[in-house]
Amino acid sequence: MALSTIDLHDLELVELTACLRERKVSAIETARHFLARAHKHEALGVYLDRNEAITLAQASAADQRIAGGTAGTLEGVPIAHKDIFVTKDFVTTAGSRILHGYRSPFDATVVARLAAQGAVTLGKLNCDEFAMGSSNENSAATALGQTGPAPVPNPWNTAHIPGGSSGASAVAVAARLAPGTTGTDTGGSIRQPASFCGVTGIKPTYGRASRYGMVAFASSLDQAGPMARTARDCALLLSAMCGPDPDRDSTALDMEAEDFSRLLEQPLAGVRIGVPHEFFGPGVSADVARAVDAALAQFEQLGARRVPVSLPRTELAIPVYYIIAPAEASSNLSRFDGVKFGHRAAQYSDLADMYRKTRTEGFGDEVKRRIMIGTYVLSHGYYDAYYLQAQKIRRMLADDFQQAFKQCDVIAGPVAPTVAWKIGEKSDDPVANYLADIFTLPASLAGLPGMSVPVGFGEGGLPVGLQLMGNYFQEAQLLQMAHQFQLATDYHRRKPQGF
Ligand code: GLN
C-alpha cells in the first residue's frame, strides 16, 4: 500500500495498526495527522479537552517501543476517550459544570489498559452530562468553554442529533477524527449513537471491563466499550479494554482477557438469529424496519436462519430502567458536594448552603430531574412500590432472554425505533427521549452484550443500525456476525460528505 499521510484517517483501525507495526508510518506522524484533523474540524465540537504535548509524547514513546520490538497490540494508534473516563493528563468533566476543570490523579483502568497496549490519547470527547441522555443535548459543553455547536451535530445531516450519551465518540469515528474511541453504555449509550452515526460499537457483558475511573451513573448498569468503523476494529479494542481488576472494581469479572477476534473469520452457516416480534411493532418507523429487514435477509444469504422469539416484557424496560438508573444515580451523585471535586459555589452562608448552591449551579436540569426521581423512589414508603418492583421485573426481563436463548444463538432487532431526530425536537420532553431507548434498555437491564452494526440509511440520509444481542460472554460471536456481515456489505465504508 502506498501510504501518503492524507490517507491515514481513511484507514480502518486494524489497517493503521499494521502500517505502524511495519513502520510504513510513524506514531508521531499519525498523531500529528489526527491532531491536524481535529483542528480542521474544530467546528464539530467533539473535544472537551486536548493536550497536544501529551499526545505527541505518548506517540514518541510508542515509536520507541516499535523500534525496540516491544510494540503492544495498539502501538501508536490514536484514540479518544469519552469524557466519562478519568485521565490524569486531561481534564475530566463528565460533560458537567460541576466538574469544570477537574483533573484526576489517576487514569481509569480502561484508559490504562489501552495505553498499556500502546494506544495514544488524542483527547476527551463530549457527552451528555454524567452520561444521562440520548442526544448530546444534555452536555454542559458550552458552560465548560467549548465554543463548538451544542449539541455536536450528526455529520450525516447536521440538523440532527448524533445520539448519546457517547455522542461525540460516535461522531469522531464517523467524521474520521479518530480510528476508534471509547464509550460507555448504561442503557444504550454506545449502541444508539453508533447506530445514529453509522459506526460499529459494542457494549460487552456487564463486568467485562472495569468501571474503576468511569464516573459512575448507575453502577449496576454502567459498562465501557469501543466504537470504531468495523467489528474487526472493535474486537481489537475490546480485547485490550477487558479483564479483571481485583483491587479496584469488585464487579469486574474474574475472567482473563479474551481475544475477541478469534471467531471473526468463521462462516455463519447454521447460526440461529432470534427475531423478537416486540422489536418490530408499529412504533418502528418504516425506514428503520426496511433496513433491518434487509440486513436479516443478508444474514440468511450468509447461512444464518431467522427464528421467531418473544421478549414479552420489552415495554416494561422503560419504567424499570427509569426507576433503577435514577435511584443509583441519586446515590452516586451525592459525592459532588463542592468539597472533594470540581466546582464550589463562590458565596454561601454555611455548609448546607454551600452544598445546595454548589449543586444548584453545578448540575443541569436532566441530572437534577434524575436525582429527584431517584431520591423519591428510594424513600421510605415508595421503595417497595417502585424500586423493589422494578428490581423484580428486571430479573424477569433477564429470565425472558434466557428463554429466548433456548431457541436461538443471537437476538437481532433495531437499535432504536427511528433514525437520529432533529436537534431540539425532543429537548423539552424528557419522556419522549426515554421512550426512544426502548430497544437498548432490555439488554442493559439483563447485563447482556449488545452491539450496533451499520445496515443502511433512512430518512434524511441518516444511518440505521442493527442491534445484535448475545448471551453472557458471547461478545466474540456478536463480533463474528458483524464481521461476516461487513465482509458482504459496504455500509461501514461509506462516509459523510466533507470528511
Ligand atoms: N439514554 C439513556 C439515559 O438517558 C441511556 C444513557 C446511557 O446509556 N448512558 O439514561
Side-chain angles (χ1 to χ4, degrees), residues 133-135 137-138 161 192 322 366 370 421 425-438:
S134 15
S135 66
E137 288 165 304
N138 297 339
I161 54 115
Q192 184 257 31
Y322 280 99
E366 182 61 25
R370 295 199 193 194
W421 52 88
E425 192 179 314
K426 299 186 194 202
S427 52
D428 296 330
D429 187 353
V431 175
N433 273 284
Y434 302 169
L435 292 175
D437 292 339
I438 181 161

Side-chain angles (χ1 to χ4, degrees), residues 273-293:
I273 304 180
V275 182
H277 61 85
E278 294 83 356
F279 279 54
F280 292 84
V284 178
S285 66
D287 55 344
V288 170
R290 211 175 305 119
V292 166
D293 194 62

Side-chain angles (χ1 to χ4, degrees), residues 185-188 191 203-206 220-221 223 279 311 314 317 321 394 397-398 401 405 411 437-451 467-472 478:
D185 191 311
T186 302
R191 291 162 282 163
K203 171 199 103 73
T205 306
Y206 179 82
S220 76
L221 294 153
Q223 190 53 204
F279 279 54
L311 293 171
T314 298
Y321 173 88
R394 180 178 188 178
L397 271 155
F401 272 106
F405 281 126
I411 294 175
D437 292 339
I438 181 161
F439 299 137
T440 48
L441 299 178
S444 295
L445 289 163
L448 293 167
M451 73 180 293
Q467 183 176 201
L468 296 171
M469 290 162 277
N471 213 338
Y472 301 109
L478 296 183

Side-chain angles (χ1 to χ4, degrees), residues 297-311:
Q298 175 69 53
F299 274 112
E300 286 176 327
Q301 297 229 313
L302 294 170
R305 266 193 300 130
R306 289 193 221 196
V307 182
V309 296
S310 175
L311 293 171

Side-chain angles (χ1 to χ4, degrees), residues 91-381:
V91 170
T92 302
T93 67
S96 180
R97 227 179 157 119
I98 209 159
L99 282 174
H100 189 186
Y102 174 69
R103 260 177 206 278
S104 164
F106 62 92
D107 281 331
T109 296
V110 162
V111 171
R113 290 186 71 104
L114 288 162
Q117 291 301 335
V120 169
T121 304
L122 291 168
K124 303 295 289 292
L125 297 166
N126 197 346
C127 58
D128 286 295
E129 185 174 6
F130 289 108
M132 298 177 190
S134 15
S135 66
N136 200 250
E137 288 165 304
N138 297 339
S139 168
T142 309
L144 291 167
Q146 163 63 266
T147 52
V152 173
N154 190 310
W156 293 94
N157 184 334
T158 52
H160 291 248
I161 54 115
S165 61
S166 318
S169 301
V171 172
V173 172
R176 310 294 193 256
L177 298 189
T181 56
T182 56
T184 62
D185 191 311
T186 302
S189 280
I190 290 174
R191 291 162 282 163
Q192 184 257 31
S195 169
F196 284 4
C197 292
V199 305
T200 307
I202 181 163
K203 171 199 103 73
T205 306
Y206 179 82
R208 275 285 199 189
S210 170
R211 288 184 298 108
Y212 182 71
M214 246 169 73
V215 178
F217 162 14
S219 308
S220 76
L221 294 153
D222 296 345
Q223 190 53 204
M227 288 194 224
R229 304 233 294 278
T230 69
R232 192 163 64 133
D233 293 349
C234 284
L236 183 62
L237 289 167
L238 190 64
S239 303
M241 290 167 76
C242 294
D245 199 8
D247 303 324
R248 294 180 168 145
D249 175 8
S250 59
T251 63
L253 295 159
D254 192 16
M255 290 171 84
E256 270 324 303
E258 259 182 61
D259 172 11
F260 291 108
S261 309
R262 67 184 190 282
L263 303 179
L264 290 181
E265 302 308 331
Q266 287 188 17
L268 299 183
V271 172
R272 296 165 303 165
I273 304 180
V275 182
H277 61 85
E278 294 83 356
F279 279 54
F280 292 84
V284 178
S285 66
D287 55 344
V288 170
R290 211 175 305 119
V292 166
D293 194 62
L296 292 172
Q298 175 69 53
F299 274 112
E300 286 176 327
Q301 297 229 313
L302 294 170
R305 266 193 300 130
R306 289 193 221 196
V307 182
V309 296
S310 175
L311 293 171
R313 274 169 273 245
T314 298
E315 277 189 9
L316 291 179
I318 298 172
V320 167
Y321 173 88
Y322 280 99
I323 288 171
I324 292 175
E328 295 185 20
S330 70
S331 164
N332 275 325
L333 269 53
S334 64
R335 76 192 65 181
F336 302 105
D337 57 6
V339 178
K340 298 188 271 313
F341 312 96
H343 176 77
R344 177 183 300 173
Q347 280 164 23
Y348 46 87
S349 53
D350 56 17
L351 185 65
D353 193 43
M354 192 275 280
Y355 289 161
R356 197 176 312 113
K357 290 210 170 99
T358 296
R359 289 166 69 85
T360 302
E361 292 167 12
F363 290 138
D365 289 349
E366 182 61 25
V367 174
K368 287 177 184 155
R369 182 178 297 119
R370 295 199 193 194
I371 291 173
M372 286 191 283
I373 295 172
T375 308
Y376 179 85
V377 298
L378 290 175
S379 60
H380 183 71

